[in-house]
């Protein structure tokens, strides 16, 4: 549905006056704020006297630190930390977290040091405050770079202690509630950031009540007109459907009473943002969104969930295909419930959710339910979170959240770039899942759109790295196949297999993406190091010297490498060799410096080594060693696209500055120009003996224009056992002929000759030749 149709439908409602609708669902309320320390103290009744004393000290410290500081609204700044601490108190967080919430801006805004906090309040509190502190923006070139690094710091602190993100989310919620005093551009930027990062984190951790409110606040700030129009429409619909909602609730309660099943029935209402998103996804009008209202059934035990389902299905007819069992297979954030959609007496669809008290606590508070549950235990199990049944569901939610938090640490190990790390985390923040099975019936939850490559890396990184093929439900499947719930996936591996750079466009999980990138970077480094050593060794032989040993036990060689790397500006020997292999440093120059250092240490050139170094190689090229080209898709060796060399061509290698080795044909004009300009960067390369891969080359083809020309041309290429990779043609035919430029895949020059002969025999081809230089 376009914006015009949305406007046509909702404009009458908008014109009745701008009035904000309730943000929360019918049976839940936004988390209340504490506006003063006295109000906060009332919320902290679950803490002991010693803990309350510490919290009071933290409040005094924060009050002094923020003295004279005001918010954009004009209120004293201390009202913000108090409100954040109050939201944390709603989750029953411990005293350490409440203290950190009160002081969360002291390091960032007031220049308080972490050491000072450790001395006053202990290391645990100081670590939490430090995890919440943004990095100094002066250290970075752009706001985006600063933001990415600050996110990484916060997320890694969160992975070590989940209280960091709970305090940060409470901080962001209060900021969003009080955003009206901010400048419009800053409001929009913070709202977008919240919608893209913080709301999905809340959802990923199961904090659904906060997730819904953050979405609503962001939607209202980003699209105030649409929010107002939809709020009016929902209010109008609420009045129209009140009778049917009350009738359904009465009949449901009567049905459960007849079965002597103790339940709590409550109505729930879709948030305005979720209605808007559904309208956009389904291109539907507001009138077509049928499940605006629904019901939640909270029962005492897990078995009662399924009994309640049976009672409802006897009462109303279920809609086929709309039943979901999230108890047997929980969502990735630990959410558990039974969902079913029934046909009401007036023929409208109504969704029902069945869950236990514990499941309800996890559904609303997610990972924070851990602290609510602990307080419930202390109270003797009398509260909603107490009782015997609660112990079953809570650890599962904790385990699932812990698994995701641990995955952040795994991604960090392999991703040093902050922006790349944030990209991987964003991918993992949207837990719309498909549930697939291993051949041994283990269930794995993967994001929608995941492929067998994601599945392989979810099993183990070694499985992913050596994947060659996959079977889905017993049938061979392409690695780009999108998996569906219920699929049984089997991964086929081979010891010599390695990740393909093309996989980065297939995978959906941050784990798979970071593992593939890490492997490719590692392989590029290893290839470059090996090539750098091959280049430096003959360059040193030309000076009559041997390459010093890399063994740590050889103290003389170790000291020599240390001097050489200090001169070159590298951290260690391996980094220097990588730089030589990538063309950042010239082997001949490094060899001359190494020879000078070796002469200073009394090492003399050897006559035999000098002779081999100077006369054992091609006289036309500097002594850089021979590199064999096998066509493998390495990141540090590339075949030049200007001449597209294939086996059988005479080739030379140009060592670009930081670009790796670029292979040209000996006749390539571009290569010749580079040789004249930069002769010391050329090295001797040869084709490897055993070549099993195919190579791309270009053809110029003049064909007689007519019906079926391309089909005949493709047939001729295929009959010569070659493949067409790409095709370009002139916009207008000339004299009933048309020029084509084909990029085809062949094994070598002999194979290319076969293709050319086959094309010349075709009736539609007037002329064909190799298109050598682009």
């Amino acid at each position: 549905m376009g914006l015009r149709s949305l406007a046509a439908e909702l404009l009458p409602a908008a014109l009745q006056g701008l009035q904000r609708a309730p943000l929360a669902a019918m049976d839940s309320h936004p988390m209340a704020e504490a506006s003063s320390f006295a109000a906060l103290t009332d919320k902290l009744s679950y803490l002991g006297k010693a803990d309350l004393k510490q919290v009071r000290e933290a409040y005094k410290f924060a009050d002094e630190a923020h003295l004279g500081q005001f918010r954009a609204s004009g209120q004293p700044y201390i009202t913000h930390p108090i409100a954040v601490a109050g939201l944390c108190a709603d989750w029953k967080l411990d005293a350490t977290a409440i203290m950190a919430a009160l002081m969360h801006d002291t390091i960032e805004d007031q220049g308080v040091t972490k050491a000072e906090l450790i001395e006053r309040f202990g290391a645990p509190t100081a670590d939490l405050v430090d995890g919440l502190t943004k990095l100094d923006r002066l250290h970075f070139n752009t706001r985006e770079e600063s933001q990415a690094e600050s996110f990484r710091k916060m997320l890694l602190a969160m992975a070590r202690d989940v209280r960091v993100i709970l305090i940060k989310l409470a901080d962001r919620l209060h900021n969003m509630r009080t955003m009206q005093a901010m400048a419009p551009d800053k409001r929009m930027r913070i709202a977008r950031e919240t919608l893209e990062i913080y709301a999905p984190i809340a959802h990923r951790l199961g904090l659904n009540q906060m997730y819904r409110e953050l979405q609503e606040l962001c939607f209202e700030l980003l699209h105030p007109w649409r929010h107002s129009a939809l709020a009016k429409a929902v209010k109008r619909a609420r009045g129209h459907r009140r009778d049917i909602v009350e009738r359904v609730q009465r009949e449901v309660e009567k049905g459960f009473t007849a079965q002597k099943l103790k339940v709590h029935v409550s109505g729930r209402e879709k948030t305005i943002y979720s209605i808007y998103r559904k309208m956009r996804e389904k291109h539907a009008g507001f009138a077509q969104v049928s499940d605006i209202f629904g019901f939640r059934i909270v029962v005492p035990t897990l078995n009662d969930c399924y009994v309640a389902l049976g009672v409802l299905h006897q009462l109303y007819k279920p809609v086929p295909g709309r039943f979901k069992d999230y108890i047997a297979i929980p969502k990735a954030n630990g959410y558990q419930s039974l969902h079913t959609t029934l046909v009401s007496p007036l023929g409208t669809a109504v969704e029902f959710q069945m869950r236990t008290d514990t499941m309800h606590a996890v559904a609303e508070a997610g990972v924070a339910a851990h602290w609510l549950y602990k307080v419930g235990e202390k109270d003797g199990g009398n509260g909603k979170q107490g009782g015997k049944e609660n112990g079953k569901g809570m650890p599962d939610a904790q385990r699932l959240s812990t698994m995701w938090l641990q995955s952040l640490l795994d991604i960090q190990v392999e991703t040093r770039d902050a922006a790349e790390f944030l990209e991987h985390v964003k991918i993992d923040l949207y837990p719309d899942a498909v549930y697939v099975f291993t051949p041994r019936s283990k269930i794995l939850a993967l994001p929608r759109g995941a492929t067998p490559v994601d599945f392989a890396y979810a099993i183990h990184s070694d499985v992913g790295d050596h994947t060659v093929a996959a079977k889905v439900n017993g049938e061979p499947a392409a690695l780009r196949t999108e998996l569906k719930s219920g699929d049984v996936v089997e991964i086929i591996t081979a010891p010599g297999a390695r990740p393909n750079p093309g996989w980065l466009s297939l995978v959906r999980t941050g784990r798979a993406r970071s593992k593939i990138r890490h492997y490719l970077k590692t392989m590029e480094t290893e290839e470059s190091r090996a090539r750098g050593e091959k280049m430096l060794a003959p360059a040193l032989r030309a000076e009559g010297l041997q390459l010093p040993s890399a063994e740590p036990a050889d103290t003389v060689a170790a000291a020599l490498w240390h001097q050489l790397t200090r001169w070159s500006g590298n951290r260690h020997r391996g980094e220097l060799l990588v730089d030589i292999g990538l063309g950042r440093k010239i082997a001949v120059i490094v060899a001359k410096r190494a020879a000078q250092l070796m002469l200073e240490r009394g090492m003399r050139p050897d006559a035999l080594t000098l002779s081999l170094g100077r006369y054992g190689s091609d006289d036309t090229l500097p002594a850089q060693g021979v590199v064999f080209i096998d066509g493998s898709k390495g990141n540090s060796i590339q075949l030049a696209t200007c001449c597209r060399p294939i086996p059988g061509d005479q080739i030379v290698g140009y060592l670009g500055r930081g670009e790796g080795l670029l292979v040209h044909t000996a006749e390539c004009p571009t290569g010749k120009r580079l040789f004249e300009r930069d002769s010391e960067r050329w090295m001797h390369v040869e084709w490897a003996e055993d070549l099993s891969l195919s190579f791309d080359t270009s053809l110029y083809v003049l064909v007689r224009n007519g019906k079926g020309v391309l089909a005949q041309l493709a047939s001729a290429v295929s009959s010569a056992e070659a493949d067409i990779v790409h095709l370009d043609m002139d916009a207008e035919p000339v004299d009933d002929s048309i020029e084509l430029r084909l990029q085809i895949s062949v094994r070598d020059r002999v194979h290319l000759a076969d293709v050319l002969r086959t094309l010349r025999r075709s009736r539609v081809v007037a002329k064909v030749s190799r298109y050598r230089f682009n």
Side-chain angles (χ1 to χ4, degrees), residues 447-741:
R448 197 169 301 281
T451 63
V453 180
D454 290 295
F455 178 90
Y457 278 102
I459 297 293
H460 197 278
S461 57
D462 284 343
V463 176
D465 288 345
H466 296 97
T467 295
V468 292
K471 289 183 178 180
V472 177
N473 301 322
E475 298 291 330
L479 292 180
R480 65 175 60 253
T481 304
E482 284 195 11
L483 300 177
K484 301 185 294 294
S485 287
D487 283 345
V488 179
V489 186
E490 180 183 353
I491 300 296
I492 300 163
T493 61
R498 53 188 272 184
N500 186 324
W503 288 358
L504 290 170
S505 63
L506 306 180
V507 295
R508 288 295 307 276
T509 60
R511 174 182 171 83
R513 189 176 297 272
S514 66
K515 293 284 184 185
I516 293 166
R517 281 182 172 167
H518 176 67
Y519 189 95
L520 294 175
K521 286 177 182 176
T522 303
M523 288 304 299
E524 179 182 8
T525 301
E526 290 175 0
E527 288 172 2
S528 301
R529 184 188 294 118
R531 187 169 64 253
E533 191 165 345
K534 280 184 180 179
M535 293 163 64
L536 186 58
L540 267 173
R541 282 200 298 272
E543 301 292 329
L545 297 164
Q546 295 287 347
L547 190 69
S549 169
E551 292 296 325
D554 189 339
T555 55
V556 175
L560 183 64
W561 281 116
H562 178 67
Q563 279 187 285
L564 193 58
T565 52
R566 282 187 63 186
W567 166 79
S568 66
N570 295 102
R571 289 174 296 178
H572 48 76
R573 171 184 179 274
E575 190 178 85
L576 172 60
L577 294 176
V578 168
D579 278 357
I580 294 171
L582 287 174
R584 294 177 186 141
K585 290 185 170 59
I586 299 171
V588 173
I589 295 173
V590 175
K592 289 187 180 299
R593 176 61 181 168
Q596 182 183 347
L597 293 171
M598 293 167 84
L599 286 171
E600 290 173 2
R601 290 174 173 269
M603 302 178 190
R604 299 295 173 192
D606 178 72
L608 179 59
T609 303
L610 190 63
S611 300
L612 288 172
R614 289 186 177 173
Y615 305 110
S617 61
D618 191 336
D619 293 335
T620 63
L621 292 169
Q624 298 267 33
V626 179
V627 174
F628 291 97
I629 308 300
D630 61 4
S632 60
K633 303 292 184 182
N635 292 324
S636 54
I637 300 179
Q638 301 292 333
L639 301 179
T641 55
C642 52
C643 52
R644 297 194 183 279
I646 61 175
D649 290 334
Q650 291 293 319
I651 53 175
V652 289
Y654 174 72
L655 205 59
R657 291 174 172 82
E659 301 161 359
L661 184 65
L662 197 61
V663 181
H664 292 264
T665 61
E667 302 84 16
C668 177
T670 303
K672 287 179 178 179
R673 284 196 301 272
L674 288 170
F675 182 79
E676 290 172 3
R677 190 183 69 195
D678 245 353
S679 59
E680 76 280 359
R681 287 188 170 272
W682 287 84
M683 60 183 299
H684 192 63
V685 293
E686 293 179 4
W687 294 108
E689 291 185 7
D690 297 323
L691 294 168
S692 58
L693 300 172
S694 57
F695 299 79
D696 291 350
T697 191
S698 299
L699 301 181
Y700 164 80
V701 187
L702 183 68
V703 296
R704 299 177 182 90
N705 198 17
K707 187 176 181 180
V709 167
L710 290 180
Q712 293 181 60
L713 193 67
S715 177
V717 172
S718 178
S719 66
E721 298 182 354
D723 294 317
I724 297 176
V725 178
H726 186 73
L727 182 148
D728 280 324
M729 67 175 67
D730 289 342
E732 296 291 336
V734 179
D735 298 330
D736 294 328
S737 297
I738 191 164
E739 292 182 358
L740 303 177
R741 284 170 297 281

Side-chain angles (χ1 to χ4, degrees), residues 299-307 327 336 356 359 389 392:
V299 297
T301 68
L302 187 149
N303 287 338
D304 288 338
C305 292
Y306 294 94
V307 174
I327 294 178
Q336 288 183 293
T356 64
M359 292 173 194
E389 188 270 332
K392 294 181 180 179

Side-chain angles (χ1 to χ4, degrees), residues 122-183:
T125 303
D127 286 340
L128 287 179
V129 175
D130 184 57
L132 291 158
T133 303
K134 292 178 186 173
L135 297 173
D136 188 344
R137 198 170 290 163
L138 295 176
H139 296 167
F140 305 101
N141 297 322
T142 64
R143 173 188 289 277
E144 290 73 20
E145 187 181 346
S146 169
Q147 183 192 49
E149 279 289 1
S150 295
F151 273 132
R152 173 155 74 169
K153 177 187 175 187
M154 181 193 70
L155 290 169
L156 293 177
M158 171 184 87
R160 290 186 286 270
D161 191 333
V162 75
R163 291 176 297 181
V164 170
I165 196 59
L166 293 176
I167 298 168
K168 184 63 183 178
L169 288 171
D171 173 39
R172 182 51 61 108
L173 178 59
H174 184 252
N175 281 333
M176 289 300 299
R177 285 177 177 177
T178 57
M179 194 60 65
Q180 296 300 334
M182 303 295 291

